[in-house]
Amino acid sequence: MGIQISPSLLAADFAHLAAEAERISGADWLHVDVMDNHFVPNLTLGLPVVEALGKASSTPMDCHLMIEDPDRWAPAYVEAGAASVTFHVEAAAAPVRLARELRAKGARAGMGLKPATPIEPYEDLLSELDMLLVMTVEPGFGGQKFLDVCLPKIRRTRALLDKHGLDLWLQVDGGVSMETIERCAEAGADVFVAGSAVFRADDPNAMVEQLRTAAESASG
């Protein structure tokens, strides 16, 4: 698939989500941040909004679940219309079983890691996944500053994927902008979540393409 841009609706106008989705019609995905005020200290949106968005936009939804008990709730997001569902390994009781259930329902299965969570303990799980998400901020709030300390983990993750010959997407989320996306791409990421950088731009669609071009040039 090459470089993909997944703008985060967390930075959009929640009163006009359908219109905001239209402003990024050139994006590969709509990144939907689901937070439950338990796994992270913030509350955003859930199943009814995801279902409504799926009917209002033709861009596939990439749902990032920052919630407790994803084993119970994640499959419902596929039924609500999500084409990709990412759960956090720190919250999942049975990540392999959950990934298989998501795939069986027809979605891509993603696994998210907080900044301090290493990738190495999960090496044996990689073949069960379609995407790995390396958080480059602490999950919970948009607009945070990019954590450079996560770049070595992105490189190690890419090396593991290459070692096993796996065709997994490697997503980064948190502080991604024109100032940081090239470093992420150089480290091996190929799917980029950007919220504030896109929705605070004068032309969000143009910013999507600028980010894509910068990542493509950096990934070589």
Side-chain angles (χ1 to χ4, degrees):
M1 288 287 292
I3 297 298
Q4 300 180 73
I5 308 296
S6 184
S8 171
L9 290 173
L10 187 62
D13 180 353
F14 273 27
H16 303 95
L17 283 178
E20 292 285 74
E22 283 303 307
R23 295 175 72 209
I24 53 166
S25 58
D28 300 284
W29 297 88
L30 295 178
H31 188 83
V32 184
D33 290 297
V34 177
M35 306 183 193
D36 64 356
N37 203 30
H38 294 284
F39 181 69
V40 292
N42 195 6
L43 186 67
T44 53
L45 44 80
L47 285 165
V49 175
V50 169
E51 192 168 1
L53 261 174
K55 295 173 182 174
S57 174
S58 60
T59 306
M61 284 182 293
D62 166 28
C63 285
H64 176 195
L65 307 185
M66 289 165 274
I67 63 174
E68 290 183 352
D69 202 7
D71 303 75
R72 176 185 178 188
W73 294 110
Y77 283 85
V78 185
E79 295 164 10
S84 177
V85 176
T86 298
F87 59 87
H88 267 268
V89 72
E90 302 91 351
V96 171
R97 183 175 65 197
L98 178 54
R100 289 180 177 180
E101 187 174 357
L102 294 172
R103 284 172 144 184
K105 288 183 175 291
R108 296 182 64 85
M111 188 174 80
L113 306 173
K114 290 183 176 183
T117 303
I119 181 59
E120 287 78 9
Y122 306 105
E123 182 175 355
D124 292 342
L125 277 63
L126 297 179
S127 62
E128 300 287 342
L129 303 168
D130 298 296
M131 184 169 73
L132 272 165
L133 164 57
V134 174
M135 292 295 297
T136 44
V137 299
E138 289 295 337
F141 293 92
Q144 297 183 66
K145 187 177 179 183
F146 179 82
L147 295 174
D148 279 286
V149 294
C150 297
L151 287 168
K153 182 164 74 172
I154 298 171
R155 291 191 189 95
R156 294 197 309 273
T157 302
R158 174 53 65 192
L160 280 178
L161 299 182
D162 292 345
K163 170 186 170 183
H164 293 285
L166 295 170
D167 188 23
L168 265 73
W169 297 350
L170 178 49
Q171 185 180 68
V172 290
D173 180 2
V176 174
S177 67
M178 288 298 293
E179 288 71 45
T180 59
I181 194 167
E182 291 183 353
R183 278 176 279 166
C184 295
E186 286 167 354
D190 51 17
V191 184
F192 302 89
V193 177
S196 302
V198 171
F199 284 103
R200 291 181 186 171
D202 292 336
D203 185 340
N205 240 344
M207 178 54 68
V208 166
E209 293 313 313
Q210 289 175 43
L211 289 166
R212 189 191 310 279
T213 300
E216 286 173 347
S217 63
S219 64

